[in-house]
Amino acid sequence: MAVETCLPTQALAPRLAPWILMYHSVAEEDEDPYQLTVSPERFAEQMDWLHRSGRRGVSVRELLAAQALGRESRLVGLTFDDGYADFARHAVPVLREYGFTATAYVMPDLLGAANHWDAEGPRKKLLTVEQVTELAASGWEIGSHGLGHQALSGLSPADLERQTKESRHKLEDLVGGPVTGFCYPYGSVDLPATRAVRDAGYDYACAIDHCSLTGRHALPRCYVGDRDGAWRLRAKHGRHRWREAVTGLRWAPPKAATGGWR
């Protein structure tokens, strides 16, 4: 479940954030109180629209690498929070059909379990250890979502270090390679959280909102739901561009420095 929380604390040098779509579950559900589920049919339609509009869905790792080279203009980041097992069942086959990639953010302490934190929603199985290992070996980016879906805002330094550094080490041991991406549970992020993520060695982190923390370790994303067809996705892309412009004007220093994000 995502709760948009981004606390303004400091300004960063302005630079356009790439367009990143935020998914959770791809499945058939009769009840979806948190609006986190996209049906397989709708998801296929959304990926088809991206393809027909000349865009390619990629992992955030690939997106940021392309941005560093100035080659991100037709790329869209695809992210899947919480590590639901239906990512492997319903999303991966569609993504492979179009030659897309994506990032799945998982929690090492809950692999093979279920989404207990969504008290009013349907129980959904999470990816198992074996599934995460297979996905990573097949080239899908695996990122950290903390240890057990705990909001980071307001945590003590020791707890922040545990949620960020320990989760990274556990996942790296599991996939046998570097884990460089983090995603804030519930989208809850403040300045200490961004510093903890950076200090834990992550190259980037995904949040939800545009705010004064927007940057390499608080990338804004666009929520995608089951109601989002082609025209709504186009509108959301336009809103992302508008928010980028407003955020840049609001939080830019008087004499903005050039260069990369912090």
Side-chain angles (χ1 to χ4, degrees):
M1 177 182 176
V3 175
E4 300 188 27
T5 305
C6 194
L7 304 180
T9 48
Q10 71 172 29
L12 301 180
R15 179 173 175 180
L16 289 178
W19 194 31
I20 302 175
L21 303 184
M22 178 181 68
Y23 287 92
H24 287 78
S25 172
V26 179
E28 295 287 355
E29 294 289 358
D30 294 330
E31 296 183 6
D32 187 25
Y34 300 113
Q35 298 184 336
L36 299 178
T37 305
V38 175
S39 72
E41 181 180 4
R42 175 63 86 179
F43 180 73
E45 292 173 356
Q46 292 166 347
M47 296 303 101
D48 183 64
W49 176 77
L50 288 178
H51 176 72
R52 287 187 293 102
S53 64
R55 297 178 172 88
R56 185 166 70 90
V58 296
S59 67
V60 179
R61 177 177 60 196
E62 184 176 346
L63 180 63
L64 295 179
Q67 185 184 47
L69 299 174
R71 300 174 181 173
E72 81 284 5
S73 63
R74 305 304 293 176
L75 301 181
V76 181
L78 300 178
T79 63
F80 294 79
D81 293 13
D82 302 340
Y84 293 108
D86 55 52
F87 170 73
R89 181 180 180 182
H90 293 303
V92 166
V94 174
L95 296 171
R96 281 178 171 159
E97 179 181 348
Y98 290 103
F100 291 177
T101 61
T103 305
Y105 297 106
V106 306
M107 299 158 287
D109 284 1
L110 295 181
L111 295 179
N115 58 330
H116 63 79
W117 60 88
D118 286 338
E120 298 180 9
R123 294 282 68 82
K124 292 176 178 285
K125 292 183 178 180
L126 304 181
L127 291 165
T128 64
V129 169
E130 292 76 15
Q131 286 176 311
V132 170
T133 302
E134 291 173 1
L135 286 167
S138 299
W140 301 93
E141 183 186 10
I142 300 297
S144 172
H145 205 37
L147 290 171
H149 210 278
Q150 182 176 7
L152 266 59
S153 297
L155 291 183
S156 68
D159 285 339
L160 282 173
E161 182 176 4
R162 180 171 172 270
Q163 289 292 328
T164 57
K165 186 174 291 186
E166 187 175 329
S167 67
R168 178 172 175 242
H169 289 164
K170 286 185 174 183
L171 288 176
E172 288 183 336
D173 289 343
L174 176 62
V175 304
V179 172
T180 58
F182 188 88
C183 177
Y184 298 98
Y186 302 103
S188 175
V189 55
D190 56 14
L191 183 58
T194 64
R195 287 174 170 169
V197 169
R198 179 197 61 196
D199 294 345
Y202 292 96
D203 178 58
Y204 75 86
C206 283
I208 299 177
D209 277 341
H210 285 78
C211 70
S212 64
L213 290 175
T214 292
R216 189 83 178 192
H217 289 93
L219 292 167
R221 293 181 296 164
C222 175
Y223 160 82
V224 181
D226 198 56
R227 297 174 58 195
D228 292 325
W231 73 268
R232 286 176 62 95
L233 288 174
R234 282 194 295 267
K236 287 188 173 187
H237 182 244
R239 184 175 64 181
H240 167 77
R241 298 290 297 271
W242 177 80
R243 285 179 173 176
E244 274 295 289
V246 171
T247 300
L249 291 173
R250 181 177 299 168
W251 300 113
K255 294 182 179 181
T258 58
W261 293 345
R262 297 184 191 178

